[in-house]
Amino acid sequence: MRKSSGKSKKERKRGDAYELSENSKLTGLDFTYNCNLASRLYQILKSILRVACERSTYLRLQNVLYEAVRNDREHDLGSLRLGYGSVLPLKGFRYSKRVSWSNFFMNHPMVHFDEAQQQVQVQLHLAGLRKFELIHERLVKIDIKIYCVVIKLDDRNTIFYHSSKTLELRKEDHKVNRGITFAMEDCKDAVILCLATVRCWLTTPNGREEFMSNGGTLMTGEIFDALLIRGGKHTIFPKKNQINCHRLSYQVTMMRLTGINRLDDGFKKAAQSH
């Protein structure tokens, strides 16, 4: 026989009747902000390469974005915002965990932000392209496109993007390094996500026609760098473990100094007694 809990279902608290701690409420506000921003950013990424999106793409984007938001060093809990701490958690995010830029190239694009010209300069090292036959036996062409997705640090976190022309690479092409420049005059305070996409073209089994493959292993979209621009300058925050190391070093130094002072006091008292 079951014991009575002492309260009927109608009397039990639920929903708003429960009192949440202040920190829980503030964390909820930050989580809501992150979800809204992640949703809008995902729509942009989806429009760029919809066919590569998977079930986990949005959830993984939400997680890495939240990590970047929590790096905020200026605002208090409950009002955390993107762009006020390191945004490097976004670097390396890709549409699919199964495929990355490294499946097609041995090295990633290099990025430089020219503060004088207010430009994002991307260098593609095409000599690092893997052999076509290792990617797919019927591969005839690879399409590459570079994007700069901009999240402005305004009240609305306005999002837009710039894109390059499609770079087509065939097996017989001479692989010369290519440079791409994006003008960023209107992005004095922003997070800039440098994104690369790859699509592969195959021949039909009889070799007569070419078509763009929708195979999951023959495409990728990846954020190869994440830049934080504040006041028109590229801003880099040290990693948390580096900060902790500095704090530990400071604490050890103070302990040593304290120990030395104590030894000095001991020597002084011994000298006075003699």
Side-chain angles (χ1 to χ4, degrees), residues 75-129:
H75 301 99
D76 295 327
L77 189 67
S79 57
L80 300 182
R81 293 294 179 268
L82 178 70
Y84 294 88
S86 175
V87 296
L88 288 180
L90 290 159
K91 181 178 179 179
F93 174 82
R94 55 185 191 264
Y95 285 65
S96 171
K97 292 188 71 175
R98 297 176 299 149
V99 192
S100 70
W101 178 266
S102 299
N103 287 69
F104 307 95
F105 288 86
M106 290 181 282
N107 39 34
H108 281 74
M110 300 296 294
V111 182
H112 170 69
F113 183 73
D114 188 324
E115 295 179 356
Q117 300 294 324
Q118 292 294 288
Q119 295 176 343
V120 172
Q121 299 168 354
V122 179
Q123 190 74 16
L124 290 174
H125 300 285
L126 301 183
L129 178 63

XYZ file of all heavy atoms in Angstrom, residues 75-129:
448
model
N 30.607 42.368 -18.947
C 29.249 42.400 -18.426
C 29.047 41.362 -17.315
O 29.758 40.372 -17.235
C 28.236 42.139 -19.554
C 28.313 43.136 -20.662
N 28.990 42.885 -21.834
C 27.810 44.392 -20.768
C 28.896 43.948 -22.634
N 28.185 44.872 -22.012
N 28.063 41.638 -16.480
C 27.740 40.734 -15.382
C 26.855 39.592 -15.861
O 26.250 39.658 -16.937
C 27.023 41.491 -14.258
C 27.914 42.542 -13.608
O 29.135 42.300 -13.539
O 27.396 43.596 -13.190
N 26.766 38.555 -15.046
C 25.880 37.435 -15.333
C 24.450 37.938 -15.535
O 23.964 38.769 -14.782
C 25.909 36.447 -14.153
C 25.203 35.104 -14.354
C 25.926 34.278 -15.403
C 25.122 34.347 -13.033
N 23.830 37.472 -16.592
C 22.482 37.931 -16.919
C 22.471 38.938 -18.049
O 21.422 39.208 -18.641
N 23.651 39.494 -18.355
C 23.742 40.457 -19.468
C 24.993 40.186 -20.305
O 25.544 41.097 -20.903
C 23.759 41.895 -18.937
O 24.836 42.080 -18.026
N 25.436 38.928 -20.322
C 26.611 38.561 -21.112
C 26.327 38.742 -22.599
O 25.211 38.559 -23.057
C 27.003 37.105 -20.834
C 27.371 36.747 -19.395
C 27.789 35.282 -19.302
C 28.483 37.642 -18.871
N 27.382 39.123 -23.343
C 27.244 39.374 -24.771
C 28.452 38.829 -25.522
O 29.558 38.735 -24.975
C 27.112 40.887 -25.050
C 25.816 41.509 -24.526
C 24.603 40.978 -25.251
N 23.351 41.526 -24.784
C 22.585 40.992 -23.845
N 22.965 39.864 -23.250
N 21.449 41.550 -23.488
N 28.239 38.490 -26.781
C 29.318 38.042 -27.644
C 30.210 39.232 -28.002
O 29.728 40.336 -28.218
C 28.739 37.437 -28.924
C 29.760 36.959 -29.970
C 30.491 35.719 -29.473
C 29.064 36.670 -31.305
N 31.521 38.998 -28.051
C 32.443 40.022 -28.514
C 33.128 40.802 -27.412
O 33.829 41.771 -27.697
N 32.947 40.398 -26.171
C 33.593 41.086 -25.047
C 34.547 40.149 -24.314
O 34.848 40.318 -23.140
C 32.536 41.646 -24.098
C 31.716 42.739 -24.744
C 30.564 42.439 -25.470
C 32.112 44.069 -24.673
C 29.821 43.427 -26.090
C 31.372 45.069 -25.295
C 30.229 44.743 -25.993
O 29.499 45.735 -26.611
N 35.006 39.156 -25.028
C 35.974 38.179 -24.557
C 36.399 37.358 -25.757
O 36.012 37.655 -26.896
N 37.192 36.338 -25.545
C 37.688 35.526 -26.656
C 36.546 34.886 -27.451
O 35.601 34.347 -26.880
C 38.610 34.427 -26.117
O 39.004 33.555 -27.153
N 36.665 34.941 -28.774
C 35.672 34.309 -29.658
C 36.264 33.066 -30.334
O 35.647 32.493 -31.234
C 35.155 35.296 -30.734
C 34.411 36.446 -30.081
C 36.303 35.826 -31.604
N 37.437 32.652 -29.883
C 38.118 31.513 -30.498
C 37.365 30.189 -30.380
O 37.640 29.274 -31.170
C 39.528 31.376 -29.914
C 40.520 32.454 -30.372
C 41.890 32.219 -29.745
C 40.634 32.480 -31.891
N 36.430 30.006 -29.415
C 35.661 28.763 -29.420
C 34.932 28.500 -30.741
O 34.634 27.350 -31.072
C 34.662 28.966 -28.272
C 35.396 29.831 -27.306
C 36.160 30.797 -28.190
N 34.674 29.566 -31.515
C 33.976 29.412 -32.794
C 34.904 28.926 -33.903
O 34.449 28.415 -34.925
C 33.336 30.738 -33.197
C 32.137 31.166 -32.343
C 31.895 32.666 -32.459
C 30.892 30.399 -32.751
N 36.205 29.099 -33.692
C 37.174 28.662 -34.697
C 37.190 27.141 -34.766
O 37.277 26.460 -33.750
C 38.567 29.185 -34.344
C 39.652 28.817 -35.347
C 40.989 29.417 -34.953
C 42.079 29.043 -35.942
N 43.398 29.654 -35.575
N 37.109 26.612 -35.977
C 37.132 25.166 -36.156
C 35.752 24.529 -36.228
O 35.641 23.334 -36.508
N 34.700 25.341 -35.997
C 33.349 24.778 -36.117
C 33.089 24.387 -37.566
O 33.418 25.113 -38.496
C 32.290 25.789 -35.674
C 30.885 25.310 -35.924
C 30.266 24.453 -35.034
C 30.199 25.686 -37.081
C 28.978 23.970 -35.276
C 28.911 25.221 -37.329
C 28.303 24.364 -36.425
N 32.494 23.225 -37.747
C 32.158 22.781 -39.104
C 30.753 22.196 -39.142
O 30.224 21.751 -38.123
C 33.184 21.783 -39.630
C 33.432 20.567 -38.764
C 34.564 19.737 -39.370
N 34.717 18.433 -38.754
C 35.568 18.143 -37.787
N 36.348 19.108 -37.300
N 35.663 16.916 -37.306
N 30.177 22.212 -40.316
C 28.801 21.757 -40.504
C 28.642 20.296 -40.078
O 27.662 19.936 -39.447
C 28.386 21.898 -41.973
C 28.100 23.313 -42.421
C 29.088 24.283 -42.466
C 26.823 23.680 -42.822
C 28.825 25.571 -42.894
C 26.534 24.968 -43.270
C 27.547 25.913 -43.294
O 27.294 27.196 -43.710
N 29.591 19.482 -40.475
C 29.531 18.062 -40.151
C 30.790 17.651 -39.404
O 31.903 18.048 -39.783
C 29.407 17.221 -41.431
O 29.545 15.842 -41.147
N 30.624 16.837 -38.364
C 31.787 16.371 -37.608
C 32.547 15.295 -38.386
O 33.700 15.003 -38.094
C 31.346 15.804 -36.257
C 30.792 16.851 -35.300
C 30.562 16.291 -33.928
C 31.884 16.012 -33.219
N 31.688 15.579 -31.830
N 31.907 14.723 -39.402
C 32.525 13.636 -40.166
C 33.527 14.136 -41.199
O 34.453 13.416 -41.580
C 31.448 12.808 -40.877
C 30.467 12.096 -39.951
C 29.396 11.388 -40.770
N 28.630 12.340 -41.570
C 28.084 12.063 -42.745
N 28.252 10.872 -43.290
N 27.379 12.967 -43.394
N 33.324 15.381 -41.681
C 34.150 15.895 -42.776
C 34.677 17.282 -42.411
O 33.963 18.102 -41.834
C 33.336 16.007 -44.090
C 34.261 16.258 -45.263
C 32.511 14.756 -44.318
N 35.929 17.531 -42.757
C 36.525 18.837 -42.469
C 37.338 19.312 -43.678
O 37.509 18.572 -44.665
C 37.427 18.756 -41.237
O 38.599 17.998 -41.530
N 37.857 20.501 -43.585
C 38.727 21.053 -44.621
C 39.926 20.131 -44.858
O 40.410 19.990 -45.981
C 39.179 22.444 -44.195
C 40.116 23.134 -45.126
C 41.477 23.133 -45.068
C 39.775 23.944 -46.266
N 42.010 23.889 -46.095
C 40.991 24.397 -46.833
C 38.567 24.329 -46.850
C 41.026 25.213 -47.957
C 38.607 25.146 -47.978
C 39.808 25.584 -48.518
N 40.397 19.483 -43.791
C 41.576 18.606 -43.876
C 41.335 17.385 -44.757
O 42.300 16.738 -45.185
C 41.991 18.145 -42.477
O 42.329 19.262 -41.677
N 40.089 17.061 -45.032
C 39.806 15.958 -45.955
C 40.217 16.299 -47.378
O 40.423 15.404 -48.199
C 38.315 15.608 -45.947
C 37.892 14.900 -44.681
O 37.865 15.509 -43.612
N 37.563 13.622 -44.773
N 40.337 17.604 -47.666
C 40.628 18.051 -49.023
C 41.978 18.773 -49.136
O 42.612 18.726 -50.182
C 39.512 18.978 -49.515
C 38.146 18.380 -49.391
C 37.345 18.633 -48.284
C 37.657 17.539 -50.376
C 36.089 18.068 -48.154
C 36.393 16.970 -50.270
C 35.609 17.223 -49.145
N 42.386 19.434 -48.053
C 43.639 20.191 -48.060
C 44.500 19.817 -46.850
O 43.976 19.511 -45.782
C 43.365 21.700 -48.022
C 42.822 22.253 -49.301
C 41.449 22.231 -49.551
C 43.664 22.790 -50.266
C 40.930 22.729 -50.741
C 43.153 23.292 -51.456
C 41.783 23.270 -51.695
N 45.813 19.890 -47.038
C 46.738 19.570 -45.952
C 46.985 20.761 -45.030
O 47.554 20.596 -43.950
C 48.066 19.061 -46.529
C 47.960 17.688 -47.164
S 49.529 17.077 -47.811
C 49.634 18.003 -49.342
N 46.579 21.954 -45.457
C 46.758 23.134 -44.599
C 45.552 24.059 -44.748
O 44.889 24.090 -45.781
C 48.050 23.889 -44.944
C 48.313 23.941 -46.443
O 47.375 24.012 -47.232
N 49.568 23.887 -46.830
N 45.276 24.802 -43.676
C 44.122 25.700 -43.659
C 44.471 27.063 -44.271
O 45.645 27.449 -44.307
C 43.633 25.902 -42.227
C 42.802 24.777 -41.714
N 43.336 23.565 -41.361
C 41.449 24.663 -41.519
C 42.372 22.754 -40.955
N 41.219 23.386 -41.048
N 43.473 27.797 -44.727
C 43.716 29.155 -45.208
C 44.290 30.020 -44.082
O 43.981 29.821 -42.914
C 42.318 29.647 -45.618
C 41.532 28.400 -45.858
C 42.054 27.399 -44.880
N 45.128 30.972 -44.459
C 45.727 31.907 -43.500
C 44.968 33.223 -43.565
O 44.607 33.697 -44.649
C 47.199 32.129 -43.814
C 48.031 30.850 -43.764
S 48.082 30.104 -42.115
C 48.979 31.354 -41.207
N 44.745 33.838 -42.399
C 43.963 35.073 -42.321
C 44.788 36.186 -41.680
O 45.492 35.971 -40.690
C 42.673 34.864 -41.495
C 41.852 36.151 -41.461
C 41.855 33.736 -42.076
N 44.672 37.362 -42.252
C 45.315 38.552 -41.679
C 44.327 39.711 -41.744
O 43.681 39.922 -42.773
C 46.584 38.916 -42.448
C 47.153 40.252 -42.063
N 47.723 40.502 -40.824
C 47.226 41.434 -42.746
C 48.131 41.754 -40.763
N 47.833 42.341 -41.912
N 44.203 40.436 -40.618
C 43.357 41.626 -40.620
C 44.250 42.850 -40.733
O 45.058 43.138 -39.850
C 42.522 41.720 -39.347
C 41.582 42.900 -39.335
C 40.444 42.913 -40.130
C 41.859 44.014 -38.550
C 39.592 44.008 -40.142
C 41.000 45.115 -38.548
C 39.876 45.117 -39.344
N 44.109 43.582 -41.844
C 44.884 44.802 -42.085
C 44.149 45.966 -41.439
O 43.129 46.438 -41.957
C 45.042 45.021 -43.598
C 46.001 46.155 -43.927
O 46.028 47.155 -43.180
O 46.725 46.037 -44.924
N 44.672 46.445 -40.302
C 43.993 47.518 -39.572
C 44.028 48.842 -40.320
O 43.079 49.624 -40.248
C 44.635 47.667 -38.188
C 44.443 46.438 -37.304
C 45.101 46.585 -35.944
O 45.776 47.622 -35.717
O 44.941 45.683 -35.097
N 45.109 49.089 -41.049
C 45.224 50.355 -41.790
C 44.203 50.426 -42.920
O 43.559 51.461 -43.142
C 46.636 50.514 -42.338
N 44.033 49.300 -43.635
C 43.107 49.261 -44.765
C 41.718 48.774 -44.373
O 40.789 48.828 -45.186
C 43.670 48.346 -45.861
C 45.021 48.777 -46.414
C 44.942 50.093 -47.149
O 43.945 50.390 -47.819
N 45.987 50.906 -47.048
N 41.578 48.278 -43.136
C 40.316 47.692 -42.676
C 39.852 46.603 -43.643
O 38.759 46.623 -44.197
C 39.235 48.770 -42.523
C 39.502 49.765 -41.395
C 39.450 49.114 -40.020
O 38.384 48.762 -39.528
N 40.614 48.958 -39.385
N 40.745 45.624 -43.797
C 40.483 44.523 -44.717
C 40.799 43.189 -44.053
O 41.728 43.087 -43.248
C 41.347 44.650 -45.974
C 41.051 45.858 -46.844
C 42.010 45.967 -48.003
O 43.083 45.344 -48.008
N 41.657 46.748 -49.014
N 40.034 42.168 -44.430
C 40.359 40.794 -44.081
C 41.021 40.172 -45.304
O 40.432 40.134 -46.388
C 39.111 39.983 -43.682
C 39.458 38.503 -43.510
C 38.511 40.512 -42.392
N 42.248 39.718 -45.134
C 43.008 39.147 -46.233
C 43.188 37.652 -45.992
O 43.719 37.229 -44.965
C 44.367 39.840 -46.352
C 44.241 41.336 -46.627
C 45.549 42.093 -46.457
O 46.553 41.531 -46.015
N 45.547 43.372 -46.798
N 42.726 36.847 -46.951
C 42.772 35.387 -46.839
C 43.732 34.841 -47.887
O 43.662 35.204 -49.060
C 41.373 34.763 -47.036
C 41.442 33.247 -46.930
C 40.390 35.331 -46.015
N 44.625 33.966 -47.455
C 45.582 33.334 -48.354
C 45.281 31.846 -48.442
O 45.258 31.136 -47.426
C 47.016 33.551 -47.838
C 48.104 33.151 -48.814
C 48.252 34.127 -49.972
O 47.758 35.236 -49.906
N 48.914 33.707 -51.034
N 45.018 31.364 -49.659
C 44.743 29.948 -49.895
C 45.993 29.267 -50.426
O 46.528 29.654 -51.462
C 43.613 29.784 -50.913
C 42.201 30.174 -50.472
C 41.254 30.095 -51.654
C 41.730 29.260 -49.354
N 46.462 28.245 -49.722
C 47.641 27.495 -50.143
C 47.180 26.278 -50.943
O 46.998 25.187 -50.409
C 48.464 27.077 -48.922
C 48.937 28.237 -48.105
N 49.968 29.066 -48.502
C 48.503 28.722 -46.910
C 50.174 30.000 -47.589
N 49.287 29.821 -46.619
N 47.010 26.481 -52.230
C 46.435 25.443 -53.082
C 47.392 24.285 -53.342
O 46.964 23.206 -53.764
C 45.977 26.055 -54.401
C 44.918 27.177 -54.271
C 44.496 27.661 -55.646
C 43.714 26.684 -53.487
N 48.677 24.495 -53.081
C 49.635 23.405 -53.262
C 49.367 22.275 -52.268
O 49.814 21.142 -52.473
C 51.064 23.925 -53.084
N 48.604 22.599 -51.212
C 48.286 21.588 -50.215
C 47.062 20.758 -50.548
O 46.616 19.955 -49.716
N 46.521 20.934 -51.750
C 45.357 20.150 -52.172
C 45.726 18.677 -52.286
O 46.741 18.321 -52.884
C 44.848 20.666 -53.520
C 43.653 19.936 -54.138
C 42.423 20.063 -53.257
C 43.372 20.473 -55.537
